[in-house]
Amino acid sequence: MSQPTPGCPAPVDEIHWPSLIAAVSAISAVGIAIGLGLPLLSSIMEKRGISSTLIGLNSAMAGVASMVAASFTTKFAHRHGVAPTMLWAVLLAAISAFGFYYITNFWLWFPLRVVFHGAITVLFILSEFWINATAPPAKRGFVLGIYGTVLSLGFLSGPLLFSILGSEGVLPFVVGAGVILLAAVPIFIARDESPVIDEKPDRHFMRYIFLVPTATAAVFIFGAVESGGLSLFTVYGTRSGFTESQAALLLTVMGVGNFIFQIPLGMLSDKIKDKRTLLSAMTVIGLIGALCLPMLVESWFLMAVVLLFWGGCVSGLYTVGLSHLGSRLQGSDLAAANAAFVFSYAVGTVAGPQVIGASMDVAGNNGFAWAIAGFFGLYVALSVVRIVLNPKRP
């Protein structure tokens, strides 16, 4: 474990609320921007007659942008400071959000996507680093549970805003950009409290994927299952005999589980020294839940109960994985590891829908459950190997 970097606030026993509010405001902007932006832009492209293939290709630029941004965020923040970098990212994200309204050339939306989602990713990485670096070690899971809950709430609020605002006119873009700009206020207020990256990380950020594989693999599985599940569950549900509204309601139940379990799981992780054990337990529950899905299609209620707890386990991979990362690393190493964490999440969001969709084509409707079970099974295997090889290493 690296030592705290000079100028980086030393861990304290109490929550420092200005820092927490600044980080939470940034992640709120991320959640709402993604939750509102993805359906808004897809709807506009469809109305303009863009093919589904090109819409999917343009949407995939979000993952590509995240991977690119992860490669330079830590270095940029080391050079210019964490809070200033976040403020520039807020400005770029807000300006590019307006750009989608004023730029009608479809092909220019590709570089615009890269700028928008790249800026959002910078906020994602640095807000995670900020909250992880300043959270009291004894309450890190609780603080990250708050952080994850707000992120989930942002993801839920975005589609709700879209359902209210629609896709016509400039209003949805004004609201989206306004939400992003509002995040700058608490960041600016707490700018002097932001952690300092005084030295460059000893390793390239990609090496942190393998330095803390239990954490980065957890967020990869989270990204894959969340994005793949959200993208294809309504297809799976309707093919299983549920109506479209019933399938959508089941998806909402899963989102509720994602929301309500973040803080309890974070608090539980504070009580457990080796967080790998909790991560493994959640993936085992996720694996069992996925394998049970084909047997539950006759009962909407039983499916809803399983999805409620299943959604909580999926979201817990993010919160507890991030807590595990913070317990292992500090300073510039933590900043680079957060970049690797978000990179792994982005790879998961690209891989999940592809693997699950292909599995449904090959194995039929139950391929949805088998593919998700496969993702969880891979993590269970990895965690068992890690715990066996490093039983005393938290």
Side-chain angles (χ1 to χ4, degrees):
M1 181 184 293
S2 64
Q3 297 299 314
T5 53
C8 191
V12 293
D13 294 329
E14 297 300 325
I15 298 171
H16 207 220
W17 291 103
S19 289
L20 176 60
I21 293 171
V24 164
S25 69
I27 206 61
S28 300
V30 169
I32 294 173
I34 294 175
L36 171 62
L38 290 179
L40 172 62
L41 298 180
S42 295
S43 177
I44 291 173
M45 285 187 283
E46 184 179 11
K47 289 179 179 179
R48 292 177 181 176
I50 306 298
S51 70
S52 297
T53 300
L54 286 177
I55 292 174
L57 184 62
N58 187 262
S59 300
M61 289 297 102
V64 173
S66 295
M67 297 177 201
V68 172
S71 66
F72 67 80
T73 296
T74 305
K75 293 179 181 178
F76 197 90
H78 162 71
R79 186 176 305 162
H80 301 286
V82 171
T85 301
M86 292 176 73
L87 291 171
W88 277 111
V90 166
L91 185 61
L92 275 176
I95 292 173
S96 55
F98 273 118
F100 288 110
Y101 176 75
Y102 290 105
I103 297 175
T104 57
N105 186 314
F106 169 71
W107 298 106
L108 290 179
W109 275 30
F110 283 85
L112 200 57
R113 280 265 197 184
V114 172
V115 173
F116 177 74
H117 285 282
I120 289 295
T121 300
V122 170
L123 285 174
F124 207 163
I125 292 171
L126 294 182
S127 64
E128 284 186 352
F129 168 59
W130 191 336
I131 202 165
N132 230 336
T134 58
K139 299 178 181 178
R140 177 175 281 114
F142 171 68
V143 171
L144 290 174
I146 296 174
Y147 179 86
T149 299
V150 173
L151 176 60
S152 298
L153 186 60
F155 281 132
L156 288 172
S157 301
L160 178 61
L161 281 173
F162 174 67
S163 68
I164 296 171
L165 299 172
S167 60
E168 298 295 332
V170 73
L171 182 59
F173 297 94
V174 171
V175 172
V179 167
I180 295 170
L181 286 172
L182 281 175
V185 176
I187 295 172
F188 182 79
I189 291 172
R191 65 192 183 282
D192 293 332
E193 301 176 8
S194 65
V196 177
I197 307 175
D198 274 349
E199 58 185 24
K200 291 184 179 179
D202 295 332
R203 307 171 179 87
H204 186 272
F205 89 99
M206 287 290 289
R207 294 185 63 185
Y208 289 85
I209 293 176
F210 305 101
L211 181 66
V212 279
T214 311
T216 52
V219 80
F220 168 79
I221 300 300
F222 169 73
V225 173
E226 182 197 46
S227 62
L230 289 175
S231 300
L232 294 164
F233 183 81
T234 51
V235 176
Y236 171 75
T238 53
R239 288 182 183 178
S240 297
F242 296 115
T243 65
E244 188 174 279
S245 61
Q246 286 177 321
L249 190 55
L250 285 172
L251 199 58
T252 302
V253 170
M254 188 167 67
V256 170
N258 188 308
F259 175 74
I260 65 176
F261 281 98
Q262 295 269 6
I263 292 177
L265 286 172
M267 294 175 69
L268 179 60
S269 74
D270 287 332
K271 307 296 183 182
I272 299 175
K273 182 178 180 182
D274 190 347
K275 294 172 179 55
R276 297 177 302 173
T277 305
L278 182 55
L279 287 168
S280 299
M282 288 189 296
T283 50
V284 169
I285 295 172
L287 173 61
I288 294 172
L291 293 175
C292 287
L293 288 180
M295 296 180 282
L296 299 172
V297 293
E298 300 299 325
S299 171
W300 185 94
F301 178 76
L302 288 178
M303 179 79 83
V305 172
V306 169
L307 288 176
L308 179 70
F309 289 94
W310 192 66
C313 286
V314 172
S315 67
L317 290 176
Y318 175 87
T319 301
V320 180
L322 194 58
S323 179
H324 177 58
L325 201 71
S327 68
R328 285 284 313 279
L329 300 167
Q330 294 178 350
S332 58
D333 283 334
L334 179 57
N338 275 122
F341 195 77
V342 173
F343 180 88
S344 299
Y345 169 76
V347 174
T349 61
V350 173
Q354 303 300 316
V355 172
I356 295 172
S359 180
M360 292 176 73
D361 286 338
V362 172
N365 201 38
N366 285 339
F368 177 86
W370 307 144
I372 291 177
F375 279 118
F376 281 120
L378 284 174
Y379 188 87
V380 171
L382 170 66
S383 60
V384 168
V385 170
R386 290 286 298 172
I387 291 174
V388 169
L389 294 179
N390 301 285
K392 296 182 179 180
R393 187 176 186 181

